Amino acid sequence: MTDTGDIISAVIGWVYFAAWTISFWPQIISNYRRKSVVGLSFDYVFLNIIGFTCYSAYNLSLFWNPTIQQQYKNFYGEANKVQPNDVAFALHAVAASTLTGIQIFIYHQVRICRTSPIRMGRSDIGRGVAFEIASRHV
């Protein structure tokens, strides 16, 4: 880091990392203490696992893969802005979301709600559209 802007960016990045990281744990702790996941949106948890896994792949690729870093620089004319706090948050988000998903399997006793085939279809369509948009920009 060479200038004040880089230092401010790093500080803000680690503050957001801490704030968002902390935000996962009250739900995990509550589920554990109550031994229940009543009121928790299962769709939300499982979509978070998928989303944060993709976000992690993106951040890890841009942070550690020199080929992808060079392709990014060639396309956009500047180095990517992925910082260590971005990678740390993405990996923590996958781990915390996965832990919450595991709690669903452990603590869910009665089938209160199900993911409908229509919702799954909309999710598949959404992923397909997102993939198509992303593939046009690579």
Side-chain angles (χ1 to χ4, degrees):
M1 304 233 162
T2 56
D3 66 352
T4 305
D6 289 340
I7 294 169
I8 292 170
S9 176
V11 169
I12 291 171
W14 284 108
V15 168
Y16 104 74
F17 165 78
W20 279 104
T21 296
I22 291 168
S23 74
F24 286 94
W25 289 96
Q27 183 68 57
I28 294 169
I29 293 167
S30 175
N31 295 344
Y32 176 75
R33 285 182 178 161
R34 294 181 308 129
K35 304 288 189 239
S36 172
V37 290
V38 171
L40 183 61
S41 170
F42 299 173
D43 292 347
Y44 181 75
V45 172
F46 293 114
L47 289 172
N48 266 350
I49 293 169
I50 293 166
F52 286 129
T53 299
C54 293
Y55 185 58
S56 294
Y58 170 83
N59 279 320
L60 288 166
S61 298
L62 279 171
F63 192 73
W64 272 302
N65 189 312
T67 303
I68 293 174
Q69 291 171 352
Q70 189 58 48
Q71 289 173 344
Y72 185 96
K73 187 172 184 175
N74 292 343
F75 189 82
Y76 292 104
E78 63 182 6
N80 76 76
K81 305 287 191 228
V82 175
Q83 300 293 318
N85 58 282
D86 298 318
V87 174
F89 168 74
L91 294 174
H92 175 268
V94 169
S97 296
T98 301
L99 179 57
T100 306
I102 290 168
Q103 287 180 320
I104 289 171
F105 288 105
I106 293 171
Y107 301 134
H108 182 63
Q109 297 175 5
V110 179
R111 199 164 196 94
I112 296 170
C113 66
R114 292 180 3 187
T115 300
S116 71
I118 293 171
R119 282 187 186 167
M120 292 302 288
R122 284 192 311 220
S123 178
D124 291 340
I125 291 168
R127 279 194 302 275
V129 169
F131 179 77
E132 181 63 28
I133 291 169
S135 66
R136 291 177 188 229
H137 295 288
V138 175

